[in-house]
Amino acid sequence: MARKRKKKGGALTLILLIIPAALIVLPTSILFGVGMIPTIVAYVVDRDPDKSAPITVGGLNFCGCMPFAIDLWKHQHTIGAAAKIFADPLAWMVMYSAAAVGWGLYYGIPPLVAGMEVTRAEKRVDVLKQKKVALVQEWGPDVAGDYFDESGGFEPGAEPEGA
């Protein structure tokens, strides 16, 4: 398997582009820097190389921070206005609750999908057993090629060859 090359110049891009841009819109940078702490935590604790936790948590966390950024842009784009937002407990609750919903999706969706797939596979096995019973009834037990009973499974105590 080929190794991925690390991008050279990533730190240089950060220094030359992102940091000056963040300084120009400092109140917004402060708002997102503090409001997106759950996303930073998700990035640090996620051991998956694809980093799906920060993507899930970060998307919803960003959505939780966005109404306050828009409010900041509409009225006063000052550090004092950002401080007023941080003084409001509702702002903290919205930003961090959105991140909590992201964590809920991250931990809730995979078991839900796995359960649905198991149920689907079990139904498929039942359909195949019914088809097998119908074939055995039509063609006789020799068509099954194993120790077969009428319920679609093996006779008790009898194991199929090769098991």
Side-chain angles (χ1 to χ4, degrees):
M1 182 176 210
R3 291 186 180 197
K4 293 181 181 178
R5 287 189 192 177
K6 290 188 176 184
K7 292 182 181 178
K8 295 180 181 177
L12 185 64
T13 302
L14 179 72
I15 292 169
L16 293 178
L17 296 175
I18 296 175
I19 291 178
L23 291 174
I24 291 171
V25 289
L26 189 59
T28 303
S29 300
I30 292 170
L31 177 76
F32 279 107
V34 173
M36 299 285 285
I37 288 174
T39 303
I40 296 166
V41 171
Y43 185 81
V44 170
V45 301
D46 189 14
R47 294 183 181 185
D48 183 17
D50 294 334
K51 296 289 187 189
S52 55
I55 292 170
T56 306
V57 173
L60 288 167
N61 192 196
F62 181 79
C63 290
C65 293
M66 202 62 202
F68 302 103
I70 292 170
D71 187 48
L72 192 64
W73 298 335
K74 276 185 171 180
H75 297 101
Q76 297 176 332
H77 194 253
T78 63
I79 294 175
K84 275 187 182 178
I85 291 171
F86 291 131
D88 183 13
L90 180 66
W92 288 97
M93 187 181 79
V94 169
M95 289 187 281
Y96 288 179
S97 294
V101 170
W103 277 113
L105 290 174
Y106 177 74
Y107 283 116
I109 299 275
L112 182 71
V113 170
M116 291 170 53
E117 286 296 316
V118 166
T119 303
R120 190 174 136 247
E122 288 171 349
K123 286 182 183 179
R124 179 75 177 138
V125 167
D126 289 341
V127 167
L128 290 173
K129 280 186 179 181
Q130 290 172 359
K131 286 183 180 180
K132 186 176 182 181
V133 168
L135 284 172
V136 168
Q137 288 175 349
E138 185 176 342
W139 292 92
D142 291 338
V143 78
D146 54 21
Y147 300 99
F148 181 76
D149 67 2
E150 293 301 317
S151 70
F154 297 107
E155 292 178 5
E159 291 187 23
E161 292 181 23

